[in-house]
Amino acid sequence: MRDPGRFERDVLAPIRAIVGDRGIITDADAKQPHLVAWRDNWTGAVPAVVMPADTAQMAAVVAICAATGTPIVPQGGNTGLTGASQPHADNSEIILSTSRMQKIRAIDLDNDTITVDAGCVLATIQQAAAEAGRLFPLSLGAEGSCQIGGNLSTNAGGVQALRYGTARGLVLGLEVVLPDGRIWDGLRGLRKDSAGYDLKQLFIGAEGTLGIITAATLRLLPQTPASATAFLAVPDPAHAVAWLRRARKNLGENITTFELMERRCLDIAMRHNSRIADPLATRYDWYILVELNAQGDEEALRQRLLTVLEAGIEADEVLDGTLAASAEQAAALWRIREGAPEGQRLEGASYKHDVSVPVSQVPRFIAEADAALAARFPGIRSFGFGHLGDGNIHYNPIQAEGGDFAEWQSYLPEVNRIVHDIVIGLGGSITAEHGVGRLRIAELAHYKSDLEMEMMARLKQCFDPQNIMNPGKLLQPELLARHKAR
Amino acid sequence: MRDPGRFERDVLAPIRAIVGDRGIITDADAKQPHLVAWRDNWTGAVPAVVMPADTAQMAAVVAICAATGTPIVPQGGNTGLTGASQPHADNSEIILSTSRMQKIRAIDLDNDTITVDAGCVLATIQQAAAEAGRLFPLSLGAEGSCQIGGNLSTNAGGVQALRYGTARGLVLGLEVVLPDGRIWDGLRGLRKDSAGYDLKQLFIGAEGTLGIITAATLRLLPQTPASATAFLAVPDPAHAVAWLRRARKNLGENITTFELMERRCLDIAMRHNSRIADPLATRYDWYILVELNAQGDEEALRQRLLTVLEAGIEADEVLDGTLAASAEQAAALWRIREGAPEGQRLEGASYKHDVSVPVSQVPRFIAEADAALAARFPGIRSFGFGHLGDGNIHYNPIQAEGGDFAEWQSYLPEVNRIVHDIVIGLGGSITAEHGVGRLRIAELAHYKSDLEMEMMARLKQCFDPQNIMNPGKLLQPELLARHKAR
C-alpha cells in the first residue's frame, strides 16, 4: 500500500510544520477517541489526527492533502450516529478536527447574529446567546459535546425544529475551506441577499463531502421566557394529528415541541429510571408532550393551552391530560420524553430508524410498519415515538422479549428495508436529521432516483473532483466513478 | 445568423407538435407583453413564446431546445425588475412561459402544505391558503400578477420577510425541468430531510439559469388574526435601530413588519396622493411603521406594543407615535408606506437600489451614502426607506429639483458605484431581493471575489454545460468561458 516514510515526508512533516506539535496527534491512545463513534458502532484507523488552530492553518493542511491526494475525514464533536465522522479502517486518511477552533468571533445584538468558529460546542453558543439576552434555538441531545460545524454539516434538527426549523434556517453566512485548500469567505450576516447563487446551501447538510465549514454567522432569536407544558393521553396517532391541527390553529406560533409517544415508551422509561413516573392516574395507549413558549404573559399562555386542551377533550381527540403547574412539573414531564430513548437502549438491541413522513401520514406509517413487522417477526416490540410536529419519527423496533440476540441482529437489514419501503411509499425520507454517512449510503442509492443520485454525483465532482473530502460517505465511490466530470 | 426555415423545421415545428397551437405564440402583438418588462426598462425579441400546459410538455420542449442548442428564457408573471425574464434583442431565444401551468395540485391540512404549479399567481396561493384557514406569508407589491415559480427563482422577500423569512424558507419541495429536458421530482412535503444534498436549494434564487421550476410544495402557517399597527417618529435611523432592539426583546416573535422612512418619503407620498395624510401633528425627520400579528388576544397585543412604545419614548428612542385604533386607521398608515415608492416614481427618475446590510449597519449606510452623494451631486435628493427589520433598504436617490434629466441619467453608473461601494464596505449585498438578472450582472462580477464567481460558474457548467438556460443573466458569458468544465 502506502510507503510510510514517504507519507511522513510528503504529508505529515509539512502538516506538522503548519500546525505545530500541538496540532497533530499520532499517538495511538490519544488518537483513539477520534477513531470511535459515540455509540461504538463505527471505528477506523488513521496515521494522524490534525487539529488546526485557525482557518488559515486548516486551509494550508487541506492544500497539502489536495496536492498529495490524501483523503480527509472532517470531524467536529464526533457525536454523529451514521459513521460520517469516523475514518475507514485502511489507515489511508487523516482526520481534520475543528476541536481547537472554538472562538466566538462576534455577537452583533442590533443585527441579532453571532459569528462562531466551527469548533464551538453547541451548548457554548446557546449559553453565549443567553448571556446576551437572546435565544439560539438549535437544541439536541448531544448539545454538550457536538460542535456547530458538525451540526451544520448534518443539518441538525432536534426537539425545537417544529418552531425554529432545522440548522439550515439558522445560518446566514459560512466560511468554508474547499477541497483544493482555498478559503471561501461567505461569512455574511444578511437576512436578505439575492446576489447570485446561495453557495452556503451547498455545504449545509453535505456531511463534509464538499468542503470543511470553518465558521458560521448564525441568527439569534428573542428569548421566550413564558412557557406552558402539557402531557396528554390520546387514543392513537390519528387523534394526536387531529389535536395538533386544532392546536396549530390556535397556538401554532407558540408551539415549540410536539412529541408523540407510545405507552410502551413510558413503561420502559419508568422501568429503567426510578425518577420517571406516570403523571396520569389511568393507563393509556398513546401520549403527547407539548410545549409552548412565548414572550407575553405566562398565565395567558397557559390559559390558551387549557382552552385548546378542553376543546380536544370535548372533540374526543384527547382522553386525559395534565398541565404542568411549575417548572419542576414541566421537567418531570420532559424526563419521560428523554427517558424513552435511554430506556430503549437499556432494554435491548433496537434498530434506530430516523425517518420522516408528511405529518398527515404519521398514523398510517406507524400502523403499517407495526403490522408489517409483527407479521414477519412475531413478538417484535416497536416503539413509535418522536417529533410528530415535524413528521420525524424515531421508530425503533426491539427484538421479541427473550429472543436470540444474534438472530435478531441478522434480521436488521430486513427490518430496515420493511420500514423504509413504507416510508418511501408515503413520500418520506429514510433520514430526517441524522444523515447518511456510511450507515445509509447503500439505502440512499437504493431509494433515490437515478437522476437525483446523478445530480448529487455531479455536484460532488464539480467541487471535489479528486474525491478527497470525506470519501466513502454519503455517495458511493462507484456512483462517482460512473459520473466522472465530463 | 440563423436560417429561419431550418429553425421552423428543427425547433418550432416539433415544439408546436408538443404544445399545440394554444401553446405557442408567434404573432407580434400577442408576443409583445412577454417581451417588455413591467417597468418598461428591458425589452427584446423572440421568434416564439411557448406555453406548455404541464410539466411533461415543458420537459419535452426543453429537450428539443437542448438537442438544437436553442437558448431559453424562462418566464413567469414577468414582473421582475432586473431584466432576468426578458429575452435579448437578437431574436435567438425562445421564451418558455409557465403561465398555463396554474393548478393547485394539493393542500394537505394535517401537514400544513400546499403543492402548486409554477404558474400559480402568488395572490391565488395566498387566497387558497386563506380559504383553508391558513396563511401563506409571502407578500409583495406584484402579488396580483407574479407567479410562484418566478418568486422562488428570485428568492423573493417582501414586507413580511422579517418574520417569515424569504421565499427559500417556505419551500419544502420542488419539481424542476433540468437544462437537458429531464424532470427532477423533488416534490417532497417534509420538514426534516437529511437524505443527501438538498438539491432544491440550487434552483431557488438561481433566476432560471439552472433549470425551470415547474411545481413546488410550500409551507402553510397559522393565521394570525390579531394585529397591532403603529406609526412612530424617531430622531434618526440609529434610534430606530435602538427601538427595534427593544421591541424584539419584548415583541420579537410577533413583529411582522418594521419599515423605516425618511420625512421626504412622507412628503412626496402626500404630494402625489390626496388620500395620504400625516398622522402626527408635528413634523419629524424619520418614521417607523411597525406591525405585529398574533393568534392570541388583540387587545393584549396592542397593550404590549403600547408598553414598548412608551418605554421607547421614555428612553428618547421614540419622539412621538400613533397606534392604529381600527383596521381603517391601520390601512391609512400602510398607505403612507405604499405611497412612498409610488411618489418617488412620479417625482422623477430615481435610481432604485435594492441593497441590504446588517441591521446594525443601516444607520451608517444611510449617513455615508447621503454624505457621499451630496458631496458629488449637490442638490441630490435621497430617499432612505425600506425594510429596516431585515436590513433591506431601498435607497433611491432622485435628481436635484429642476436638474437636467439627461445629465442625471448619465450619472447613474457613478451613483450606483458610490452606493454599492459603501454597501460592500459594510458587509452588505448589492441586491437584497430583486436579484441580478441583466441589471446587476457586471456589478456582481465587480464586487464578488474571483473564487465566489468561479464557484458559481462551476455550478452553472455542472448543470447547464451548453449554457442554454437563461444565458446572459446572472453570470456573464465571459466568466463561463473562463471556467469551462474540465
Side-chain angles (χ1 to χ4, degrees):
Chain A
M1 293 280 287
R2 192 167 55 195
D3 172 351
R6 203 161 153 178
F7 187 73
E8 171 62 34
R9 187 194 68 206
D10 294 347
V11 181
L12 294 188
I15 287 177
R16 196 175 285 109
I18 291 160
V19 298
D21 286 339
R22 279 190 61 202
I24 185 162
I25 302 173
T26 51
D27 174 73
D29 287 348
K31 277 190 297 192
Q32 191 56 21
H34 295 273
L35 302 177
V36 184
W38 172 71
R39 284 181 59 214
D40 216 14
N41 46 352
W42 298 102
T43 185
V46 291
V49 177
V50 180
M51 301 179 133
D54 56 30
T55 302
Q57 287 189 5
M58 181 71 86
V61 171
V62 173
I64 290 169
C65 293
T68 55
T70 306
I72 294 166
V73 181
Q75 192 177 81
N78 199 21
T79 61
L81 297 171
T82 67
S85 64
Q86 291 82 40
H88 295 283
D90 64 359
N91 211 35
S92 69
E93 303 162 311
I94 65 157
I95 289 175
L96 253 183
S97 166
T98 50
S99 293
R100 282 176 71 210
M101 298 173 61
Q102 303 203 348
K103 274 202 219 37
I104 291 182
R105 296 193 188 178
I107 297 189
D108 180 342
L109 289 181
D110 282 333
N111 196 40
D112 269 348
T113 48
I114 186 168
T115 300
V116 297
D117 277 353
C120 283
V121 168
L122 175 53
T124 307
I125 299 171
Q126 293 168 345
Q127 197 186 329
E131 283 166 10
R134 299 292 187 278
L135 174 70
F136 183 66
L138 189 65
S139 174
L140 47 107
E143 62 196 27
S145 46
C146 62
Q147 297 174 12
I148 191 70
N151 296 145
L152 301 183
S153 294
T154 54
N155 187 22
V159 290
Q160 301 194 99
L162 166 59
R163 175 162 182 178
Y164 296 106
T166 59
R168 184 180 300 276
L170 298 170
V171 182
L172 295 183
L174 287 184
E175 177 189 84
V176 178
V177 172
L178 300 178
D180 59 11
R182 290 185 292 179
I183 300 167
W184 173 57
D185 178 4
L187 268 188
R188 293 180 273 265
L190 304 173
R191 279 173 180 72
K192 282 186 181 170
D193 181 8
S194 291
Y197 301 150
D198 190 358
L199 296 170
K200 67 176 178 287
Q201 304 295 345
L202 291 170
F203 304 99
I204 300 169
E207 303 187 12
T209 62
L210 299 177
I212 303 179
I213 295 172
T214 51
T217 298
L218 305 165
R219 288 167 59 212
L220 297 176
L221 289 114
Q223 291 180 321
T224 50
S227 75
T229 309
F231 190 81
L232 313 180
V234 291
D236 53 38
H239 285 83
V241 169
W243 189 73
L244 170 59
R245 184 165 158 176
R246 178 187 301 279
R248 270 191 180 134
K249 184 176 167 55
N250 296 286
L251 307 163
E253 62 184 1
N254 297 110
I255 301 177
T256 310
T257 302
F258 197 100
E259 304 281 305
L260 178 72
M261 214 178 307
E262 214 167 335
R263 173 71 206 187
R264 201 174 273 160
C265 300
L266 180 53
D267 284 338
I268 60 157
M270 290 195 294
R271 186 186 307 167
H272 294 280
N273 183 340
S274 60
R275 292 181 66 216
I276 297 175
D278 186 344
L280 302 176
T282 310
R283 226 181 129 82
Y284 299 97
D285 289 342
W286 291 88
Y287 300 96
I288 292 166
L289 176 71
V290 59
E291 181 167 311
L292 311 182
N293 289 93
Q295 291 184 299
D297 180 58
E298 184 160 283
E299 193 43 41
L301 189 70
R302 287 170 44 83
Q303 277 306 320
R304 287 172 60 206
L305 176 54
L306 198 61
T307 303
V308 178
L309 203 169
E310 286 167 354
I313 291 176
E314 189 71 26
D316 293 328
E317 293 155 0
V318 175
L319 301 172
D320 196 354
T322 177
L323 191 60
S326 66
E328 290 67 37
Q329 285 187 15
L333 299 179
W334 268 99
R335 268 201 298 277
I336 301 172
R337 167 62 181 85
E338 283 154 6
E342 179 64 7
Q344 287 170 49
R345 197 182 61 80
L346 294 168
E347 190 73 7
S350 75
Y351 192 93
K352 297 205 175 295
H353 295 95
D354 165 47
V355 302
S356 61
V357 292
V359 173
S360 51
Q361 302 300 320
V362 169
R364 201 168 144 194
F365 162 67
I366 292 175
E368 291 188 7
D370 280 0
L373 289 179
R376 176 66 186 83
F377 304 104
I380 195 171
R381 293 171 292 166
S382 60
F383 291 82
F385 89 113
H387 318 302
L388 177 60
D390 54 35
N392 175 196
I393 301 298
H394 295 293
Y395 184 83
N396 302 335
I398 299 188
Q399 62 185 119
E401 220 146 350
D404 180 71
F405 182 72
E407 194 185 341
W408 167 245
Q409 289 287 94
S410 73
Y411 292 147
L412 293 183
E414 196 183 339
V415 170
N416 214 14
R417 185 53 56 88
I418 289 172
V419 172
H420 287 170
D421 277 354
I422 296 169
V423 163
I424 296 297
L426 296 172
S429 171
I430 62 167
T431 172
E433 58 180 8
H434 296 167
V436 178
R438 277 185 278 173
L439 180 63
R440 301 186 179 93
I441 192 167
E443 288 290 275
L444 188 78
H446 176 79
Y447 286 109
K448 288 282 183 190
S449 69
D450 288 347
L451 176 57
E452 188 153 338
M453 293 309 294
E454 179 190 327
M455 289 165 74
M456 290 190 205
R458 281 159 70 180
L459 253 184
K460 169 76 173 173
Q461 301 281 10
C462 174
F463 286 96
D464 183 21
Q466 284 197 88
N467 192 22
I468 61 165
M469 204 52 88
N470 220 7
K473 318 291 170 63
L474 206 155
L475 298 173
Q476 293 168 312
E478 314 84 88
L479 173 83
L480 296 176
R482 262 204 312 284
H483 298 288
K484 270 271 175 242
R486 284 153 304 182
Chain B
M1 293 279 289
R2 193 167 55 196
D3 172 350
R6 202 161 154 178
F7 187 74
E8 171 63 33
R9 186 193 69 203
D10 294 346
V11 181
L12 293 188
I15 287 177
R16 195 175 285 110
I18 291 162
V19 299
D21 285 342
R22 279 192 61 202
I24 186 163
I25 303 173
T26 51
D27 173 75
D29 286 348
K31 278 192 295 191
Q32 190 55 21
H34 295 274
L35 303 177
V36 185
W38 172 73
R39 283 181 60 213
D40 217 14
N41 47 351
W42 298 102
T43 186
V46 292
V49 176
V50 179
M51 302 180 133
D54 55 32
T55 302
Q57 287 190 5
M58 180 72 85
V61 171
V62 173
I64 291 169
C65 293
T68 55
T70 306
I72 295 166
V73 181
Q75 192 178 81
N78 199 21
T79 61
L81 299 170
T82 66
S85 65
Q86 291 83 40
H88 296 282
D90 64 359
N91 210 37
S92 69
E93 303 161 312
I94 64 156
I95 289 175
L96 252 183
S97 166
T98 51
S99 293
R100 282 177 71 212
M101 299 172 60
Q102 301 203 350
K103 274 203 220 33
I104 291 182
R105 297 194 188 177
I107 296 189
D108 181 342
L109 289 181
D110 282 332
N111 196 41
D112 269 348
T113 47
I114 186 168
T115 299
V116 296
D117 278 354
C120 284
V121 169
L122 175 53
T124 306
I125 299 172
Q126 294 168 345
Q127 197 186 328
E131 284 167 8
R134 300 291 187 279
L135 174 71
F136 183 65
L138 188 65
S139 175
L140 46 107
E143 62 196 29
S145 47
C146 62
Q147 296 174 13
I148 191 69
N151 296 145
L152 301 183
S153 294
T154 54
N155 187 21
V159 290
Q160 300 194 99
L162 165 60
R163 175 162 182 177
Y164 296 105
T166 60
R168 184 180 300 277
L170 298 171
V171 182
L172 295 183
L174 287 184
E175 178 188 84
V176 178
V177 172
L178 300 179
D180 59 12
R182 289 185 292 178
I183 300 167
W184 173 57
D185 178 4
L187 267 189
R188 292 179 275 265
L190 304 174
R191 280 171 179 74
K192 282 185 180 171
D193 182 7
S194 291
Y197 302 150
D198 190 359
L199 296 170
K200 67 177 179 288
Q201 304 296 344
L202 291 169
F203 304 99
I204 301 169
E207 303 186 10
T209 62
L210 299 178
I212 303 179
I213 295 172
T214 50
T217 298
L218 306 165
R219 289 166 59 212
L220 296 176
L221 288 115
Q223 291 181 321
T224 49
S227 75
T229 308
F231 190 81
L232 314 179
V234 291
D236 53 39
H239 286 82
V241 170
W243 190 73
L244 171 58
R245 184 165 159 176
R246 177 187 302 277
R248 270 191 180 135
K249 184 177 167 54
N250 296 287
L251 306 163
E253 62 184 2
N254 297 109
I255 302 177
T256 310
T257 301
F258 197 101
E259 304 280 307
L260 179 71
M261 215 179 306
E262 214 168 334
R263 173 72 206 187
R264 202 174 273 160
C265 299
L266 180 53
D267 284 339
I268 59 157
M270 289 196 294
R271 186 185 308 168
H272 294 281
N273 184 339
S274 60
R275 292 181 66 218
I276 297 176
D278 186 344
L280 302 176
T282 311
R283 229 182 126 83
Y284 298 98
D285 288 343
W286 290 89
Y287 300 96
I288 293 168
L289 176 71
V290 59
E291 180 166 312
L292 310 183
N293 289 95
Q295 291 184 299
D297 179 60
E298 184 160 283
E299 191 45 39
L301 189 70
R302 287 170 44 84
Q303 277 308 320
R304 287 172 60 206
L305 176 54
L306 198 60
T307 303
V308 178
L309 204 168
E310 286 167 352
I313 291 175
E314 187 71 24
D316 294 328
E317 292 155 1
V318 175
L319 301 171
D320 197 354
T322 176
L323 191 60
S326 67
E328 290 67 38
Q329 285 187 16
L333 298 180
W334 268 99
R335 268 201 298 278
I336 301 172
R337 167 62 181 84
E338 283 153 6
E342 180 62 8
Q344 287 168 50
R345 195 182 62 81
L346 295 167
E347 189 73 8
S350 75
Y351 192 92
K352 297 206 175 294
H353 295 94
D354 165 47
V355 302
S356 62
V357 292
V359 174
S360 50
Q361 303 300 320
V362 168
R364 201 169 144 195
F365 162 67
I366 292 175
E368 291 187 8
D370 280 0
L373 289 179
R376 176 67 186 83
F377 304 103
I380 195 171
R381 293 171 292 165
S382 61
F383 291 83
F385 90 111
H387 319 303
L388 176 60
D390 54 35
N392 175 196
I393 302 299
H394 295 292
Y395 184 84
N396 302 336
I398 299 189
Q399 62 185 117
E401 219 146 348
D404 181 70
F405 181 72
E407 192 185 345
W408 166 242
Q409 289 287 94
S410 74
Y411 292 148
L412 291 184
E414 194 182 343
V415 170
N416 214 14
R417 186 54 55 89
I418 289 172
V419 171
H420 287 170
D421 277 354
I422 295 169
V423 163
I424 296 296
L426 295 173
S429 171
I430 62 167
T431 172
E433 59 179 8
H434 296 167
V436 177
R438 277 185 280 174
L439 179 64
R440 301 185 178 93
I441 193 167
E443 288 290 275
L444 187 79
H446 176 79
Y447 286 110
K448 287 282 182 191
S449 69
D450 289 347
L451 175 57
E452 188 152 339
M453 293 308 294
E454 179 190 326
M455 289 165 75
M456 290 190 205
R458 282 160 69 181
L459 253 184
K460 168 78 171 172
Q461 302 281 11
C462 174
F463 286 95
D464 182 20
Q466 283 197 89
N467 191 22
I468 62 164
M469 204 52 88
N470 220 6
K473 318 290 169 65
L474 207 154
L475 298 173
Q476 293 167 314
E478 313 85 88
L479 173 83
L480 297 176
R482 263 205 312 284
H483 298 287
K484 269 274 175 237
R486 286 154 303 181

